[in-house]
Amino acid sequence: MANTETIQAATTRAASKKKKWPAFSILFILPSFILYTLFVIYPTLNSFNLSFTNWDGVSDTIHYIGFDNFVEMFHSERVYNALKNTLIISISLVVLENILAIMLAMLVDQVKWFKNLFRSIFYFPVLLSGIVMGFVWAIIFNYNFGVINQLLERIGLESLKVDWLGSPKYALMAIIITTVWKGAGYYMIIYLAGLQGIPPELHEAAAIDGANRWQQFRHVTFPLLAGAMTVSVMLSMISALKIFDQIAVMTDGGPGFATETLTYIVYKVGFGELRQGYGTALSLVLFVLILVVSLIQAKLLRQREVQM
């Protein structure tokens, strides 16, 4: 009984000594909170309201049209095409970026000399803005004077020249290649941190047991990279679902609508066709898509971490 009273008394003294939050402390976060509310929270909430209108983004008058925007959206072949392109790009980027990132991370981790130099070289594309990178690759893929077609012509394979950005068959592929080149270095850093956290004794024990390099990767390295993979896959998917810069610079959604994605069609409809209400409705659908995909990914990848 005495011990219980002693513990309660100590707890009471500790609580009384605990400093209270000064009222004036709110002044330090108030400016940031006001700006965040004005430029993020309010526009986000207002977008729900605008999605039920036919506002053109310019006029002062706003007419409510109910669910007409959503009905039109779900009957639009252009939207379904943009959704298909978004899924193709997203799945391709998640797979290719993470595979390349793991390969680069393992390569850099094994290098004994100039490790920081190689790490900087592979990470450099991440530092380029999407606009600059898009212009550079648009020149590389140019049919007449692009590096790829010029190289094919020089080695006598002129018949294999491809109109990368002007052909519906290859334009989406060109955007995927460009984005993988830019993004793989970012995820390489995440995987490199994961590799450096793996105790070398595990690989030594596997080697002693007769495991070759592939078996060591399959049964030691890959399972222990589960945490890094969860982060990388989720970031890669979210980035892919809202891809914009590369498409805007390289193809402008063309040829035709061959490379339009949900993000780009929101921009084209809202600002190009002056249909802000319809564009806002599309952006809400994109938001829900990203939210659902992220939640499903997080659940599946977390389960994978537990299993491994």
Side-chain angles (χ1 to χ4, degrees):
M1 187 70 179
N3 290 335
T4 304
E5 293 177 353
T6 303
I7 293 173
Q8 291 178 345
T11 304
T12 304
R13 287 195 300 270
S16 62
K17 292 180 180 180
K18 192 175 183 180
K19 293 183 179 180
K20 294 183 178 180
W21 181 276
F24 66 84
S25 301
I26 194 66
L27 296 176
F28 291 99
I29 64 173
L30 190 60
S32 298
F33 179 74
I34 292 174
L35 291 175
Y36 188 79
T37 301
L38 289 175
F39 294 103
V40 179
I41 297 178
Y42 173 73
T44 301
L45 295 177
N46 192 45
S47 65
F48 288 94
N49 177 51
L50 292 177
S51 65
F52 297 101
T53 71
N54 63 352
W55 186 47
D56 59 6
V58 178
S59 62
D60 296 330
T61 58
I62 299 178
H63 300 287
Y64 287 90
I65 58 175
F67 290 92
D68 288 359
N69 287 329
F70 295 94
V71 172
E72 179 184 350
M73 181 193 318
F74 289 112
H75 288 82
S76 172
E77 290 294 332
R78 183 181 179 186
V79 172
Y80 283 116
N81 178 69
L83 177 61
K84 181 192 73 174
N85 290 338
T86 301
L87 294 177
I88 291 174
I89 290 176
S90 300
I91 295 172
S92 300
L93 290 183
V94 169
V95 173
L96 296 177
E97 282 182 337
N98 282 276
I99 290 176
L100 182 58
I102 292 175
M103 293 172 62
L104 292 177
M106 294 187 66
L107 177 63
V108 172
D109 190 53
Q110 296 296 323
V111 170
K112 295 182 179 180
W113 301 95
F114 306 110
K115 179 176 292 190
N116 290 333
L117 174 62
F118 285 108
R119 185 184 305 177
S120 301
I121 292 173
F122 294 143
Y123 188 77
F124 175 74
V126 181
L127 303 178
L128 296 176
S129 73
I131 301 297
V132 172
M133 181 267 297
F135 276 118
V136 171
W137 277 92
I139 295 174
I140 294 174
F141 284 121
N142 186 276
Y143 180 77
N144 295 314
F145 53 82
V147 174
I148 297 177
N149 285 345
Q150 286 291 317
L151 181 61
L152 291 173
E153 187 175 344
R154 293 290 179 86
I155 61 178
L157 298 176
E158 188 174 357
S159 60
L160 297 180
K161 289 174 61 176
V162 171
D163 189 4
W164 293 95
L165 302 179
S167 169
K169 183 179 179 180
Y170 297 104
L172 207 61
M173 185 189 304
I175 290 173
I176 291 171
I177 293 172
T178 302
T179 309
V180 170
W181 177 83
K182 175 174 171 57
Y186 178 80
Y187 306 109
M188 176 200 71
I189 298 299
I190 298 175
Y191 285 115
L192 188 59
L195 286 173
Q196 293 175 348
I198 299 175
E201 293 81 6
L202 296 178
H203 291 284
E204 294 174 1
I208 292 174
D209 289 338
N212 55 36
R213 287 185 175 272
W214 166 249
Q215 291 171 331
Q216 290 180 38
F217 172 78
R218 173 65 183 86
H219 299 288
V220 178
T221 305
F222 188 70
L224 293 177
L225 285 178
M229 183 168 290
T230 298
V231 175
S232 297
V233 169
M234 290 192 63
L235 291 177
S236 179
M237 177 61 76
I238 293 173
S239 177
L241 287 172
K242 58 188 184 69
I243 184 173
F244 178 83
D245 294 348
Q246 297 88 316
I247 298 174
V249 173
M250 297 175 65
T251 63
D252 193 28
F257 303 124
T259 57
E260 272 194 346
T261 60
L262 288 178
T263 306
Y264 200 69
I265 200 176
V266 168
Y267 161 75
K268 292 285 285 186
V269 168
F271 296 96
E273 302 174 13
L274 295 180
R275 301 183 63 194
Q276 285 286 346
Y278 185 56
T280 304
L282 283 168
S283 67
L284 289 179
V285 172
L286 178 62
F287 167 75
V288 172
L289 176 64
I290 293 176
L291 180 63
V292 170
V293 170
S294 299
L295 291 175
I296 293 174
Q297 265 192 327
K299 184 176 181 179
L300 294 177
L301 292 173
R302 291 298 182 189
Q303 288 178 350
R304 176 178 174 273
E305 287 185 38
V306 173
Q307 291 171 357
M308 289 189 170

PDB file of all heavy atoms in Angstrom, residues 12-42:
ATOM      1  N   THR A  12       2.421  12.565  -9.328  1.00  0.00           N
ATOM      2  CA  THR A  12       1.798  13.878  -9.151  1.00  0.00           C
ATOM      3  C   THR A  12       2.845  14.976  -9.180  1.00  0.00           C
ATOM      4  O   THR A  12       2.648  16.032  -9.799  1.00  0.00           O
ATOM      5  CB  THR A  12       1.021  13.924  -7.825  1.00  0.00           C
ATOM      6  OG1 THR A  12       0.059  12.861  -7.804  1.00  0.00           O
ATOM      7  CG2 THR A  12       0.316  15.262  -7.654  1.00  0.00           C
ATOM      8  N   ARG A  13       3.982  14.753  -8.483  1.00  0.00           N
ATOM      9  CA  ARG A  13       5.057  15.748  -8.482  1.00  0.00           C
ATOM     10  C   ARG A  13       5.633  15.952  -9.879  1.00  0.00           C
ATOM     11  O   ARG A  13       5.908  17.068 -10.302  1.00  0.00           O
ATOM     12  CB  ARG A  13       6.169  15.324  -7.504  1.00  0.00           C
ATOM     13  CG  ARG A  13       5.781  15.474  -6.041  1.00  0.00           C
ATOM     14  CD  ARG A  13       7.018  15.396  -5.148  1.00  0.00           C
ATOM     15  NE  ARG A  13       7.716  14.119  -5.305  1.00  0.00           N
ATOM     16  CZ  ARG A  13       7.454  13.034  -4.584  1.00  0.00           C
ATOM     17  NH1 ARG A  13       6.488  13.068  -3.655  1.00  0.00           N
ATOM     18  NH2 ARG A  13       8.138  11.919  -4.773  1.00  0.00           N
ATOM     19  N   ALA A  14       5.802  14.838 -10.624  1.00  0.00           N
ATOM     20  CA  ALA A  14       6.351  14.940 -11.982  1.00  0.00           C
ATOM     21  C   ALA A  14       5.403  15.711 -12.895  1.00  0.00           C
ATOM     22  O   ALA A  14       5.827  16.516 -13.723  1.00  0.00           O
ATOM     23  CB  ALA A  14       6.601  13.536 -12.542  1.00  0.00           C
ATOM     24  N   ALA A  15       4.088  15.468 -12.727  1.00  0.00           N
ATOM     25  CA  ALA A  15       3.108  16.162 -13.556  1.00  0.00           C
ATOM     26  C   ALA A  15       3.073  17.652 -13.234  1.00  0.00           C
ATOM     27  O   ALA A  15       2.901  18.496 -14.125  1.00  0.00           O
ATOM     28  CB  ALA A  15       1.725  15.546 -13.360  1.00  0.00           C
ATOM     29  N   SER A  16       3.233  17.987 -11.947  1.00  0.00           N
ATOM     30  CA  SER A  16       3.208  19.404 -11.555  1.00  0.00           C
ATOM     31  C   SER A  16       4.439  20.141 -12.037  1.00  0.00           C
ATOM     32  O   SER A  16       4.395  21.333 -12.322  1.00  0.00           O
ATOM     33  CB  SER A  16       3.081  19.515 -10.036  1.00  0.00           C
ATOM     34  OG  SER A  16       4.215  18.928  -9.407  1.00  0.00           O
ATOM     35  N   LYS A  17       5.568  19.405 -12.123  1.00  0.00           N
ATOM     36  CA  LYS A  17       6.803  20.033 -12.591  1.00  0.00           C
ATOM     37  C   LYS A  17       6.836  20.205 -14.104  1.00  0.00           C
ATOM     38  O   LYS A  17       7.622  20.964 -14.641  1.00  0.00           O
ATOM     39  CB  LYS A  17       8.005  19.196 -12.157  1.00  0.00           C
ATOM     40  CG  LYS A  17       8.245  19.202 -10.653  1.00  0.00           C
ATOM     41  CD  LYS A  17       9.453  18.362 -10.297  1.00  0.00           C
ATOM     42  CE  LYS A  17       9.706  18.360  -8.809  1.00  0.00           C
ATOM     43  NZ  LYS A  17      10.884  17.528  -8.455  1.00  0.00           N
ATOM     44  N   LYS A  18       5.990  19.455 -14.806  1.00  0.00           N
ATOM     45  CA  LYS A  18       5.972  19.510 -16.262  1.00  0.00           C
ATOM     46  C   LYS A  18       5.558  20.897 -16.743  1.00  0.00           C
ATOM     47  O   LYS A  18       4.533  21.435 -16.328  1.00  0.00           O
ATOM     48  CB  LYS A  18       4.999  18.458 -16.809  1.00  0.00           C
ATOM     49  CG  LYS A  18       5.134  18.241 -18.301  1.00  0.00           C
ATOM     50  CD  LYS A  18       4.233  17.099 -18.739  1.00  0.00           C
ATOM     51  CE  LYS A  18       4.410  16.821 -20.229  1.00  0.00           C
ATOM     52  NZ  LYS A  18       3.534  15.705 -20.666  1.00  0.00           N
ATOM     53  N   LYS A  19       6.352  21.475 -17.612  1.00  0.00           N
ATOM     54  CA  LYS A  19       6.085  22.830 -18.071  1.00  0.00           C
ATOM     55  C   LYS A  19       4.858  22.861 -18.973  1.00  0.00           C
ATOM     56  O   LYS A  19       4.680  21.983 -19.809  1.00  0.00           O
ATOM     57  CB  LYS A  19       7.299  23.374 -18.830  1.00  0.00           C
ATOM     58  CG  LYS A  19       8.516  23.594 -17.946  1.00  0.00           C
ATOM     59  CD  LYS A  19       9.655  24.202 -18.748  1.00  0.00           C
ATOM     60  CE  LYS A  19      10.862  24.444 -17.852  1.00  0.00           C
ATOM     61  NZ  LYS A  19      11.985  25.030 -18.605  1.00  0.00           N
ATOM     62  N   LYS A  20       4.036  23.856 -18.794  1.00  0.00           N
ATOM     63  CA  LYS A  20       2.871  24.029 -19.635  1.00  0.00           C
ATOM     64  C   LYS A  20       3.272  24.717 -20.938  1.00  0.00           C
ATOM     65  O   LYS A  20       4.240  25.466 -20.988  1.00  0.00           O
ATOM     66  CB  LYS A  20       1.818  24.854 -18.909  1.00  0.00           C
ATOM     67  CG  LYS A  20       1.239  24.153 -17.689  1.00  0.00           C
ATOM     68  CD  LYS A  20       0.144  24.997 -17.059  1.00  0.00           C
ATOM     69  CE  LYS A  20      -0.464  24.272 -15.856  1.00  0.00           C
ATOM     70  NZ  LYS A  20      -1.538  25.069 -15.221  1.00  0.00           N
ATOM     71  N   TRP A  21       2.494  24.435 -21.985  1.00  0.00           N
ATOM     72  CA  TRP A  21       2.743  25.038 -23.299  1.00  0.00           C
ATOM     73  C   TRP A  21       2.370  26.520 -23.239  1.00  0.00           C
ATOM     74  O   TRP A  21       1.209  26.858 -23.021  1.00  0.00           O
ATOM     75  CB  TRP A  21       1.901  24.314 -24.351  1.00  0.00           C
ATOM     76  CG  TRP A  21       2.093  24.821 -25.744  1.00  0.00           C
ATOM     77  CD1 TRP A  21       1.474  25.887 -26.311  1.00  0.00           C
ATOM     78  CD2 TRP A  21       2.959  24.298 -26.738  1.00  0.00           C
ATOM     79  NE1 TRP A  21       1.885  26.068 -27.590  1.00  0.00           N
ATOM     80  CE2 TRP A  21       2.813  25.106 -27.888  1.00  0.00           C
ATOM     81  CE3 TRP A  21       3.856  23.231 -26.772  1.00  0.00           C
ATOM     82  CZ2 TRP A  21       3.505  24.866 -29.049  1.00  0.00           C
ATOM     83  CZ3 TRP A  21       4.552  22.998 -27.927  1.00  0.00           C
ATOM     84  CH2 TRP A  21       4.389  23.802 -29.058  1.00  0.00           C
ATOM     85  N   PRO A  22       3.336  27.423 -23.431  1.00  0.00           N
ATOM     86  CA  PRO A  22       3.023  28.858 -23.360  1.00  0.00           C
ATOM     87  C   PRO A  22       2.043  29.252 -24.457  1.00  0.00           C
ATOM     88  O   PRO A  22       2.134  28.787 -25.594  1.00  0.00           O
ATOM     89  CB  PRO A  22       4.388  29.517 -23.578  1.00  0.00           C
ATOM     90  CG  PRO A  22       5.399  28.456 -23.289  1.00  0.00           C
ATOM     91  CD  PRO A  22       4.745  27.155 -23.677  1.00  0.00           C
ATOM     92  N   ALA A  23       1.111  30.123 -24.104  1.00  0.00           N
ATOM     93  CA  ALA A  23       0.085  30.536 -25.061  1.00  0.00           C
ATOM     94  C   ALA A  23       0.691  31.256 -26.255  1.00  0.00           C
ATOM     95  O   ALA A  23       0.199  31.130 -27.382  1.00  0.00           O
ATOM     96  CB  ALA A  23      -0.945  31.419 -24.370  1.00  0.00           C
ATOM     97  N   PHE A  24       1.764  32.020 -26.038  1.00  0.00           N
ATOM     98  CA  PHE A  24       2.350  32.794 -27.135  1.00  0.00           C
ATOM     99  C   PHE A  24       3.096  31.919 -28.139  1.00  0.00           C
ATOM    100  O   PHE A  24       3.464  32.377 -29.213  1.00  0.00           O
ATOM    101  CB  PHE A  24       3.292  33.873 -26.587  1.00  0.00           C
ATOM    102  CG  PHE A  24       4.518  33.332 -25.903  1.00  0.00           C
ATOM    103  CD1 PHE A  24       5.654  32.977 -26.629  1.00  0.00           C
ATOM    104  CD2 PHE A  24       4.539  33.173 -24.530  1.00  0.00           C
ATOM    105  CE1 PHE A  24       6.779  32.482 -26.007  1.00  0.00           C
ATOM    106  CE2 PHE A  24       5.664  32.663 -23.892  1.00  0.00           C
ATOM    107  CZ  PHE A  24       6.785  32.323 -24.630  1.00  0.00           C
ATOM    108  N   SER A  25       3.317  30.632 -27.810  1.00  0.00           N
ATOM    109  CA  SER A  25       4.042  29.745 -28.723  1.00  0.00           C
ATOM    110  C   SER A  25       3.305  29.550 -30.039  1.00  0.00           C
ATOM    111  O   SER A  25       3.908  29.256 -31.072  1.00  0.00           O
ATOM    112  CB  SER A  25       4.289  28.384 -28.061  1.00  0.00           C
ATOM    113  OG  SER A  25       5.038  28.513 -26.885  1.00  0.00           O
ATOM    114  N   ILE A  26       1.970  29.708 -29.983  1.00  0.00           N
ATOM    115  CA  ILE A  26       1.181  29.543 -31.201  1.00  0.00           C
ATOM    116  C   ILE A  26       1.565  30.561 -32.258  1.00  0.00           C
ATOM    117  O   ILE A  26       1.378  30.346 -33.461  1.00  0.00           O
ATOM    118  CB  ILE A  26      -0.326  29.651 -30.869  1.00  0.00           C
ATOM    119  CG1 ILE A  26      -1.186  29.157 -32.034  1.00  0.00           C
ATOM    120  CG2 ILE A  26      -0.696  31.078 -30.511  1.00  0.00           C
ATOM    121  CD1 ILE A  26      -1.064  27.715 -32.314  1.00  0.00           C
ATOM    122  N   LEU A  27       2.129  31.699 -31.830  1.00  0.00           N
ATOM    123  CA  LEU A  27       2.517  32.752 -32.777  1.00  0.00           C
ATOM    124  C   LEU A  27       3.630  32.287 -33.708  1.00  0.00           C
ATOM    125  O   LEU A  27       3.758  32.799 -34.825  1.00  0.00           O
ATOM    126  CB  LEU A  27       2.967  34.006 -32.010  1.00  0.00           C
ATOM    127  CG  LEU A  27       1.896  34.685 -31.159  1.00  0.00           C
ATOM    128  CD1 LEU A  27       2.489  35.859 -30.382  1.00  0.00           C
ATOM    129  CD2 LEU A  27       0.739  35.163 -32.036  1.00  0.00           C
ATOM    130  N   PHE A  28       4.438  31.331 -33.290  1.00  0.00           N
ATOM    131  CA  PHE A  28       5.545  30.857 -34.117  1.00  0.00           C
ATOM    132  C   PHE A  28       5.062  30.005 -35.289  1.00  0.00           C
ATOM    133  O   PHE A  28       5.699  29.977 -36.341  1.00  0.00           O
ATOM    134  CB  PHE A  28       6.533  30.050 -33.261  1.00  0.00           C
ATOM    135  CG  PHE A  28       7.295  30.881 -32.278  1.00  0.00           C
ATOM    136  CD1 PHE A  28       6.903  30.945 -30.951  1.00  0.00           C
ATOM    137  CD2 PHE A  28       8.399  31.622 -32.681  1.00  0.00           C
ATOM    138  CE1 PHE A  28       7.589  31.721 -30.048  1.00  0.00           C
ATOM    139  CE2 PHE A  28       9.100  32.403 -31.772  1.00  0.00           C
ATOM    140  CZ  PHE A  28       8.699  32.462 -30.452  1.00  0.00           C
ATOM    141  N   ILE A  29       3.962  29.296 -35.102  1.00  0.00           N
ATOM    142  CA  ILE A  29       3.463  28.437 -36.182  1.00  0.00           C
ATOM    143  C   ILE A  29       2.299  29.074 -36.931  1.00  0.00           C
ATOM    144  O   ILE A  29       1.905  28.573 -37.989  1.00  0.00           O
ATOM    145  CB  ILE A  29       3.017  27.066 -35.630  1.00  0.00           C
ATOM    146  CG1 ILE A  29       1.829  27.230 -34.669  1.00  0.00           C
ATOM    147  CG2 ILE A  29       4.167  26.357 -34.947  1.00  0.00           C
ATOM    148  CD1 ILE A  29       1.237  25.913 -34.222  1.00  0.00           C
ATOM    149  N   LEU A  30       1.759  30.176 -36.399  1.00  0.00           N
ATOM    150  CA  LEU A  30       0.593  30.802 -37.026  1.00  0.00           C
ATOM    151  C   LEU A  30       0.850  31.270 -38.460  1.00  0.00           C
ATOM    152  O   LEU A  30       0.021  31.009 -39.342  1.00  0.00           O
ATOM    153  CB  LEU A  30       0.102  31.967 -36.162  1.00  0.00           C
ATOM    154  CG  LEU A  30      -1.248  32.577 -36.568  1.00  0.00           C
ATOM    155  CD1 LEU A  30      -2.339  31.506 -36.503  1.00  0.00           C
ATOM    156  CD2 LEU A  30      -1.597  33.750 -35.652  1.00  0.00           C
ATOM    157  N   PRO A  31       1.985  31.954 -38.760  1.00  0.00           N
ATOM    158  CA  PRO A  31       2.207  32.392 -40.160  1.00  0.00           C
ATOM    159  C   PRO A  31       2.238  31.221 -41.145  1.00  0.00           C
ATOM    160  O   PRO A  31       1.609  31.286 -42.205  1.00  0.00           O
ATOM    161  CB  PRO A  31       3.564  33.102 -40.094  1.00  0.00           C
ATOM    162  CG  PRO A  31       3.701  33.534 -38.681  1.00  0.00           C
ATOM    163  CD  PRO A  31       3.042  32.466 -37.879  1.00  0.00           C
ATOM    164  N   SER A  32       2.947  30.147 -40.794  1.00  0.00           N
ATOM    165  CA  SER A  32       3.016  28.982 -41.689  1.00  0.00           C
ATOM    166  C   SER A  32       1.652  28.327 -41.837  1.00  0.00           C
ATOM    167  O   SER A  32       1.266  27.908 -42.933  1.00  0.00           O
ATOM    168  CB  SER A  32       4.020  27.963 -41.150  1.00  0.00           C
ATOM    169  OG  SER A  32       5.310  28.523 -41.093  1.00  0.00           O
ATOM    170  N   PHE A  33       0.910  28.275 -40.724  1.00  0.00           N
ATOM    171  CA  PHE A  33      -0.415  27.657 -40.784  1.00  0.00           C
ATOM    172  C   PHE A  33      -1.376  28.466 -41.656  1.00  0.00           C
ATOM    173  O   PHE A  33      -2.158  27.903 -42.428  1.00  0.00           O
ATOM    174  CB  PHE A  33      -0.992  27.525 -39.374  1.00  0.00           C
ATOM    175  CG  PHE A  33      -2.368  26.929 -39.337  1.00  0.00           C
ATOM    176  CD1 PHE A  33      -2.559  25.570 -39.552  1.00  0.00           C
ATOM    177  CD2 PHE A  33      -3.486  27.727 -39.103  1.00  0.00           C
ATOM    178  CE1 PHE A  33      -3.828  25.014 -39.525  1.00  0.00           C
ATOM    179  CE2 PHE A  33      -4.754  27.182 -39.086  1.00  0.00           C
ATOM    180  CZ  PHE A  33      -4.929  25.828 -39.297  1.00  0.00           C
ATOM    181  N   ILE A  34      -1.298  29.781 -41.580  1.00  0.00           N
ATOM    182  CA  ILE A  34      -2.160  30.635 -42.408  1.00  0.00           C
ATOM    183  C   ILE A  34      -1.829  30.457 -43.882  1.00  0.00           C
ATOM    184  O   ILE A  34      -2.727  30.295 -44.725  1.00  0.00           O
ATOM    185  CB  ILE A  34      -2.001  32.116 -41.991  1.00  0.00           C
ATOM    186  CG1 ILE A  34      -2.590  32.342 -40.589  1.00  0.00           C
ATOM    187  CG2 ILE A  34      -2.698  33.032 -43.000  1.00  0.00           C
ATOM    188  CD1 ILE A  34      -2.357  33.729 -40.052  1.00  0.00           C
ATOM    189  N   LEU A  35      -0.542  30.456 -44.219  1.00  0.00           N
ATOM    190  CA  LEU A  35      -0.138  30.276 -45.622  1.00  0.00           C
ATOM    191  C   LEU A  35      -0.545  28.897 -46.135  1.00  0.00           C
ATOM    192  O   LEU A  35      -1.028  28.762 -47.264  1.00  0.00           O
ATOM    193  CB  LEU A  35       1.376  30.471 -45.756  1.00  0.00           C
ATOM    194  CG  LEU A  35       1.893  31.899 -45.552  1.00  0.00           C
ATOM    195  CD1 LEU A  35       3.423  31.908 -45.594  1.00  0.00           C
ATOM    196  CD2 LEU A  35       1.336  32.832 -46.617  1.00  0.00           C
ATOM    197  N   TYR A  36      -0.345  27.890 -45.309  1.00  0.00           N
ATOM    198  CA  TYR A  36      -0.714  26.526 -45.718  1.00  0.00           C
ATOM    199  C   TYR A  36      -2.226  26.422 -45.928  1.00  0.00           C
ATOM    200  O   TYR A  36      -2.686  25.757 -46.863  1.00  0.00           O
ATOM    201  CB  TYR A  36      -0.253  25.534 -44.653  1.00  0.00           C
ATOM    202  CG  TYR A  36      -0.416  24.088 -45.058  1.00  0.00           C
ATOM    203  CD1 TYR A  36       0.501  23.477 -45.917  1.00  0.00           C
ATOM    204  CD2 TYR A  36      -1.489  23.321 -44.589  1.00  0.00           C
ATOM    205  CE1 TYR A  36       0.354  22.158 -46.297  1.00  0.00           C
ATOM    206  CE2 TYR A  36      -1.634  21.999 -44.964  1.00  0.00           C
ATOM    207  CZ  TYR A  36      -0.718  21.423 -45.813  1.00  0.00           C
ATOM    208  OH  TYR A  36      -0.866  20.115 -46.185  1.00  0.00           O
ATOM    209  N   THR A  37      -2.986  27.079 -45.071  1.00  0.00           N
ATOM    210  CA  THR A  37      -4.442  27.062 -45.209  1.00  0.00           C
ATOM    211  C   THR A  37      -4.890  27.757 -46.484  1.00  0.00           C
ATOM    212  O   THR A  37      -5.756  27.260 -47.218  1.00  0.00           O
ATOM    213  CB  THR A  37      -5.104  27.742 -43.995  1.00  0.00           C
ATOM    214  OG1 THR A  37      -4.713  27.059 -42.793  1.00  0.00           O
ATOM    215  CG2 THR A  37      -6.619  27.711 -44.119  1.00  0.00           C
ATOM    216  N   LEU A  38      -4.283  28.920 -46.770  1.00  0.00           N
ATOM    217  CA  LEU A  38      -4.677  29.706 -47.943  1.00  0.00           C
ATOM    218  C   LEU A  38      -4.327  29.014 -49.252  1.00  0.00           C
ATOM    219  O   LEU A  38      -5.107  29.057 -50.216  1.00  0.00           O
ATOM    220  CB  LEU A  38      -4.029  31.090 -47.893  1.00  0.00           C
ATOM    221  CG  LEU A  38      -4.570  32.063 -46.838  1.00  0.00           C
ATOM    222  CD1 LEU A  38      -3.749  33.351 -46.829  1.00  0.00           C
ATOM    223  CD2 LEU A  38      -6.040  32.372 -47.101  1.00  0.00           C
ATOM    224  N   PHE A  39      -3.146  28.400 -49.301  1.00  0.00           N
ATOM    225  CA  PHE A  39      -2.648  27.882 -50.576  1.00  0.00           C
ATOM    226  C   PHE A  39      -2.783  26.364 -50.744  1.00  0.00           C
ATOM    227  O   PHE A  39      -2.552  25.858 -51.838  1.00  0.00           O
ATOM    228  CB  PHE A  39      -1.177  28.277 -50.757  1.00  0.00           C
ATOM    229  CG  PHE A  39      -0.979  29.766 -50.909  1.00  0.00           C
ATOM    230  CD1 PHE A  39      -0.503  30.515 -49.852  1.00  0.00           C
ATOM    231  CD2 PHE A  39      -1.291  30.400 -52.096  1.00  0.00           C
ATOM    232  CE1 PHE A  39      -0.329  31.888 -49.984  1.00  0.00           C
ATOM    233  CE2 PHE A  39      -1.123  31.758 -52.237  1.00  0.00           C
ATOM    234  CZ  PHE A  39      -0.643  32.513 -51.179  1.00  0.00           C
ATOM    235  N   VAL A  40      -3.153  25.649 -49.691  1.00  0.00           N
ATOM    236  CA  VAL A  40      -3.293  24.193 -49.796  1.00  0.00           C
ATOM    237  C   VAL A  40      -4.673  23.722 -49.324  1.00  0.00           C
ATOM    238  O   VAL A  40      -5.430  23.125 -50.096  1.00  0.00           O
ATOM    239  CB  VAL A  40      -2.189  23.457 -48.994  1.00  0.00           C
ATOM    240  CG1 VAL A  40      -2.385  21.945 -49.098  1.00  0.00           C
ATOM    241  CG2 VAL A  40      -0.816  23.843 -49.516  1.00  0.00           C
ATOM    242  N   ILE A  41      -4.995  23.988 -48.070  1.00  0.00           N
ATOM    243  CA  ILE A  41      -6.240  23.448 -47.517  1.00  0.00           C
ATOM    244  C   ILE A  41      -7.463  24.049 -48.205  1.00  0.00           C
ATOM    245  O   ILE A  41      -8.368  23.317 -48.653  1.00  0.00           O
ATOM    246  CB  ILE A  41      -6.302  23.706 -45.994  1.00  0.00           C
ATOM    247  CG1 ILE A  41      -5.155  22.951 -45.296  1.00  0.00           C
ATOM    248  CG2 ILE A  41      -7.651  23.258 -45.436  1.00  0.00           C
ATOM    249  CD1 ILE A  41      -5.097  23.181 -43.800  1.00  0.00           C
ATOM    250  N   TYR A  42      -7.519  25.385 -48.319  1.00  0.00           N
ATOM    251  CA  TYR A  42      -8.689  26.018 -48.932  1.00  0.00           C
ATOM    252  C   TYR A  42      -8.861  25.619 -50.403  1.00  0.00           C
ATOM    253  O   TYR A  42      -9.977  25.241 -50.806  1.00  0.00           O
ATOM    254  CB  TYR A  42      -8.610  27.540 -48.802  1.00  0.00           C
ATOM    255  CG  TYR A  42      -9.693  28.254 -49.568  1.00  0.00           C
ATOM    256  CD1 TYR A  42     -11.019  28.234 -49.112  1.00  0.00           C
ATOM    257  CD2 TYR A  42      -9.412  28.924 -50.761  1.00  0.00           C
ATOM    258  CE1 TYR A  42     -12.025  28.874 -49.828  1.00  0.00           C
ATOM    259  CE2 TYR A  42     -10.410  29.553 -51.476  1.00  0.00           C
ATOM    260  CZ  TYR A  42     -11.717  29.536 -50.999  1.00  0.00           C
ATOM    261  OH  TYR A  42     -12.704  30.146 -51.715  1.00  0.00           O
TER     262      TYR A  42
END
